[in-house]
Structure formats: structure tokens, C-alpha cells
Amino acid sequence: MSSPFDLTGRRALVTGSSRGIGLAIARSLLGAGAQVVIHGRNAEAAETTAAALASEFGAGAVSSAGFDVTDEASVLEGVAGVEAVGPVDILVNNAGLQHREPMLEVSVQDWERVIRTDLTSAFLVGRTVARGMIGRGAGAIVNICSVQTDLARPTIGAYTAAKHGLRGLTRAMTAEWSGSGVRVNGVAPGYIRTELTQALVDDPAFNAWVLGRTPIGRWGEPEDIGGAVVWLSSDASRFVTGQVVFVDGGMTAVV
């Protein structure tokens, strides 16, 4: 019998996957047998990452796409290009950014930039891809949330609002699309060690706070997120929809 986690024959689009957590998710999906489309706003960066993965997983397993997830026209064109090659069975909305500034000082432009990148993009890409999934009667969407989906810290108000909103969007998508065979869930990473967070890892005070606040006692690694995404993308979770799974080392389970 084949494993319920086997993704052979399925095609996944992972936004923001040329590096960091998105890249680790792409590698996990490839390891489970999926074909993966590496995405980035910078098409050259996405192509370079895809070429590197192709040397490991095979040329037929990896392709790339470059488009702006915050712009509807770009999303429509980009997704059409991806689907011209083959249907998207799995969508991982991973693209996002952070902006650290007190809410009394943050500009409306920076606030809206974070909301558009971290929340609106999941709506734009999600509904564009969902149209094809609904037509086929099957599909899995995984929205990458955060511990800030439940919590809050000073200076990241826009990010916190966006990630809280992403949980609501996950539930709204579930309410509208799950009856058509499209399951929608979220994965909420804790503090993950990546090139973007390395400065925080290197900050003795912040590092001590993370280690003390996380029951497992370490930073997460990008690879820790991939397993949850594979599960939510596979038949192993076929009766799971509308949920946000926290992969945070226990951070949100304790006080």
C-alpha cells in the first residue's frame, strides 16, 4: 500500500520559495514526490533556486515562476503561465515580509505594504488557483501563518494584524470552497532560524528570550515546517480543513 503522505503525481506552487522557509517547504514537498513550482517576485532568483533543486530531484520535478503576488494582474498572468504547463494541486501561500516600527510611528504606506504582502496576496493567489481546483473537485491550500496569528509583540503591529487576518481568511476559504473538494489549512511557525532572522539569533537578549519562551528550548529550523505542510497537502489529512497547526516548539501552549 502506498503511504497516505505520498504526493507523487501532484503539482505544488509555493510562493516565496526561492529561499528560507519557502525553500524548505519546497524541498519537503519534493521529497514526498510532488512536482514543485518555485516562485519569487524576482524571476531570476526563482529560476536559480529551481535549477539547484533540479540537480538533486530531477529536471522534471522542478520549475519556476516569477510574478508579484500583491498585484492582481500579475497574479492572473503568473498563475495562468503555471497552469498552462499543468494543474496546481497544492498551493502554499508562503510569501510575506516583516516591518518593525511602533504603531504610533509607522506610515500608512508601510502598514499597507505589509498587509498587502502578508494577507491580500494569499487572497489573490488563493482564489485564482482555487478556481481550477474547484473545477477539478480537489485541491489543498496551506497558508503560512505565524505565532503572531495568536499572539502579539511590540513594533510588529501590521504583521500581527495580517497574520491574525490570515487565520480568518483560512476559515473563510474553508467555508466557501471545502464543499467543492478544496481543503484549506494553515501552518503557524514559531521563531525559525533563517537568514532573515539571523540577526535576532545573534542578539543575546532576544535569543535568550526565545529559548526561555519555547518549551522545546531551541529555535525552529526551516525543515521543521515542511513536515506539517506535507501532511496538510496529502491524503493523510483528508478530513482536516479550516485548521491552523502551530509548529512553534510549544510556545503558544504555555504561559
Side-chain angles (χ1 to χ4, degrees):
M1 295 179 62
S2 62
S3 166
F5 297 94
D6 184 13
L7 297 176
T8 299
R10 302 186 196 184
R11 193 158 175 259
L13 168 62
V14 184
T15 67
S17 52
S18 61
R19 61 179 179 173
I21 291 174
L23 174 56
I25 290 170
R27 291 182 61 85
S28 293
L29 292 169
L30 285 162
Q35 295 179 319
V36 175
V37 181
I38 299 297
H39 163 271
R41 178 178 294 184
N42 184 319
E44 289 186 8
E47 186 176 355
T48 298
T49 298
L53 290 171
S55 66
E56 181 178 354
F57 292 96
V62 193
S63 58
S64 67
F67 57 88
D68 182 355
V69 294
T70 69
D71 179 79
E72 184 175 21
S74 182
V75 168
L76 291 171
E77 181 180 1
V79 171
V82 170
E83 292 181 332
V85 178
V88 176
D89 305 295
I90 300 162
L91 168 64
V92 183
N93 281 311
N94 170 74
L97 57 80
Q98 179 64 280
H99 180 83
R100 298 179 183 277
E101 190 174 13
M103 283 195 290
L104 292 179
E105 301 170 16
V106 67
S107 69
V108 172
Q109 290 77 16
D110 282 331
W111 174 276
E112 291 180 342
R113 178 172 60 93
V114 173
I115 297 296
R116 190 159 190 84
T117 304
D118 294 2
L119 177 58
T120 305
S121 69
F123 161 70
L124 291 174
V125 181
R127 73 170 181 176
T128 304
V129 172
R131 290 184 177 112
M133 291 179 171
I134 290 168
R136 295 186 298 275
I141 297 175
V142 182
N143 296 321
I144 303 302
C145 301
S146 165
V147 288
Q148 265 68 47
T149 295
D150 255 12
L151 307 177
R153 279 183 59 82
T155 76
I156 56 171
Y159 182 83
T160 300
K163 293 301 184 179
H164 272 66
L166 197 51
R167 167 178 266 173
L169 179 63
T170 298
R171 289 172 171 171
M173 289 174 167
T174 295
E176 296 200 17
W177 303 339
S178 287
S180 300
V182 181
R183 295 185 301 105
V184 188
N185 292 287
V187 171
Y191 283 86
I192 308 298
R193 183 200 304 264
T194 69
E195 59 188 87
L196 296 178
T197 61
Q198 189 60 46
L200 298 176
V201 177
D202 295 337
D203 181 322
F206 196 90
N207 183 59
W209 177 82
V210 169
L211 298 182
R213 186 68 178 78
T214 307
I216 282 182
R218 66 170 175 86
W219 286 72
E221 301 294 338
E223 294 74 20
D224 294 327
I225 309 305
V229 173
V230 168
W231 171 56
L232 291 173
S233 301
S234 73
D235 289 343
S237 62
R238 65 183 185 178
F239 199 56
V240 180
T241 191
Q243 305 304 307
V244 175
V245 178
F246 284 77
V247 184
D248 62 0
M251 176 177 281
T252 54
V254 301
V255 295

